[in-house]
Amino acid sequence: MSLSVSVITPSFNQAAYLEQTMQSVLAQDVPIEYWVMDGGSTDGSVAIIRRYEDRLAGWVSEADRGQADAVNKGLSRASGDVIGWLNSDDLYEPGAARRAVQAFEQYPDAALVFGDVWSLDGEGRVINQMRYGAWGLKELMTFHIIGQPGVWMRRSALERAGLLDLSYHYLLDHQLWLRLAQMGRMVYLGQPMAAARFHAAAKNVAQAAAFGQEAYRIVEWMQTQPGLQALFAANRRAIWGGAHRINARYLLDGGQPGAALRAYGRGLRCYPPAVLPEAHRMVFCLLSLAGLGRLGETYRRLKRRRYEKSR
């Protein structure tokens, strides 16, 4: 393969999962320039990193300004033509890096390539498959969210788009994808490329309610970007509807069904097609408010068993 590969893992006190994450990178079947950027962990993470340091391009363990800062440190060091970013509680599927490189070779104008992502619980059991589609800039603007570990970036496009914005803490990846997608084609690979964990300490669970506020902030930001303004004007209602949908989804995941239902209502008033595909979630909001939330848990348990058999 003519394209080289770098991977960055930011980490902070994730010793319970870090080794599995690192092993999933080091087990890829193409050479990887691997950087681990630790934020000064005190839970044994450093000992784990040291066990693998002879296979790393480099690592640090020092205080930083959060996840975006840690990722940017790694991105600034990465020399690969293709770059992956894998958080310290997520996993790559076998062969993911090779498939990403092949896609970039097939599509020289691609700025990013992406695939589906398995959802895992804290014990590593499959609970869902996040399926995407042949999405482009319009879908990103209407908040079709791509699971971050399923994305690979072309370094030359990243250099033009810029690194992560340190002022974002929740949808920092989505804001970066929006900038990258203005630099070239998005290519969907149509198969799982990674697995993301959903556990009690994960940001997407512990701080779920904060994600929606950043979605609204991204809507405001899009309106200031020359490369997005024409698409924004043509899709204003769909974009706002998508932001309300994402806010509702995270509020529900954060255990706030009443607030989630209100956000869904705002989305319906704004642009029904953005919200109606999540009618089942609205039903779950109503069930939870009626004290029947255990029915939803039974459904999720049955769905988890189905996905466990398919992975």
Side-chain angles (χ1 to χ4, degrees):
M1 292 186 179
S2 60
L3 300 179
S4 57
V5 182
S6 298
V7 172
I8 294 96
T9 289
S11 181
F12 182 65
N13 287 339
Q14 289 282 5
Y17 306 114
L18 176 60
E19 187 162 23
Q20 288 182 315
T21 296
M22 295 178 67
Q23 288 174 344
S24 79
V25 176
L26 297 170
Q28 293 296 305
D29 55 5
V30 298
I32 301 284
E33 178 194 67
Y34 191 19
W35 298 91
V36 179
M37 301 289 110
D38 182 76
S41 295
T42 58
D43 67 342
S45 293
V46 172
I48 293 170
I49 297 169
R50 287 189 185 278
R51 285 205 292 271
Y52 295 90
E53 65 182 339
D54 62 332
R55 301 176 64 185
L56 303 179
W59 65 280
V60 301
S61 182
E62 60 189 18
D64 55 39
R65 290 180 287 171
Q67 182 184 21
D69 187 31
V71 175
N72 282 350
K73 287 181 182 180
L75 293 175
S76 298
R77 290 166 167 82
S79 65
D81 303 303
V82 175
I83 299 179
W85 154 22
L86 188 70
N87 290 332
S88 54
D89 49 0
D90 297 336
L91 303 167
Y92 279 144
E93 286 287 287
R98 172 176 43 79
R99 293 195 294 273
V101 168
Q102 290 170 340
F104 280 115
E105 290 177 338
Q106 182 178 357
Y107 299 99
D109 60 340
L112 62 89
V113 304
F114 63 102
D116 298 337
V117 177
W118 297 106
S119 301
L120 308 179
D121 65 14
E123 284 70 49
R125 296 172 299 198
V126 176
I127 56 177
N128 192 21
Q129 181 180 345
M130 294 181 280
R131 292 186 174 93
Y132 310 122
W135 297 346
L137 186 54
K138 177 183 174 181
E139 285 76 20
L140 291 182
M141 291 177 69
T142 53
F143 292 93
H144 288 64
I145 301 294
I146 301 170
Q148 171 268 312
V151 175
W152 295 78
M153 302 169 278
R154 192 183 296 273
R155 184 164 63 92
S156 58
L158 179 66
E159 289 171 346
R160 287 181 286 134
L163 302 181
L164 289 166
D165 185 331
L166 298 185
S167 68
Y168 288 90
H169 303 288
Y170 304 101
L171 292 177
L172 63 167
D173 50 350
H174 191 73
Q175 200 259 358
L176 177 58
W177 309 156
L178 280 162
R179 288 187 277 125
L180 272 170
Q182 297 177 68
M183 304 299 144
R185 182 200 296 246
M186 294 170 58
V187 175
Y188 174 53
L189 300 178
Q191 59 185 305
M193 294 284 281
R197 292 187 196 267
F198 291 77
H199 54 90
K203 187 165 60 175
N204 49 24
V205 176
Q207 303 173 58
F211 281 75
Q213 297 309 307
E214 283 205 345
Y216 295 137
R217 183 180 163 208
I218 287 174
V219 173
E220 299 295 341
W221 168 81
M222 283 192 275
Q223 297 176 72
T224 70
Q225 302 303 300
L228 301 178
Q229 287 172 343
L231 262 178
F232 189 96
N235 297 279
R236 178 183 296 272
R237 291 176 61 238
I239 291 167
W240 277 108
H244 291 312
R245 182 191 71 244
I246 289 301
N247 185 31
R249 182 185 300 175
Y250 279 110
L251 285 168
L252 182 57
D253 289 346
Q256 301 183 49
L261 196 60
R262 290 191 290 275
Y264 277 126
R266 290 192 292 273
L268 285 170
R269 290 191 295 274
C270 183
Y271 190 71
V275 178
L276 287 175
E278 297 200 358
H280 62 292
R281 286 178 170 264
M282 288 182 263
V283 171
F284 183 72
C285 289
L286 292 169
L287 290 174
S288 296
L289 292 171
L292 299 174
R294 290 193 176 187
L295 292 175
E297 177 56 37
T298 300
Y299 167 75
R300 286 194 295 270
R301 186 165 55 249
L302 292 172
K303 184 169 70 170
R304 181 171 63 233
R305 289 175 183 170
R306 185 184 69 191
Y307 282 118
E308 284 175 343
K309 293 177 181 178
S310 64
R311 184 169 186 243

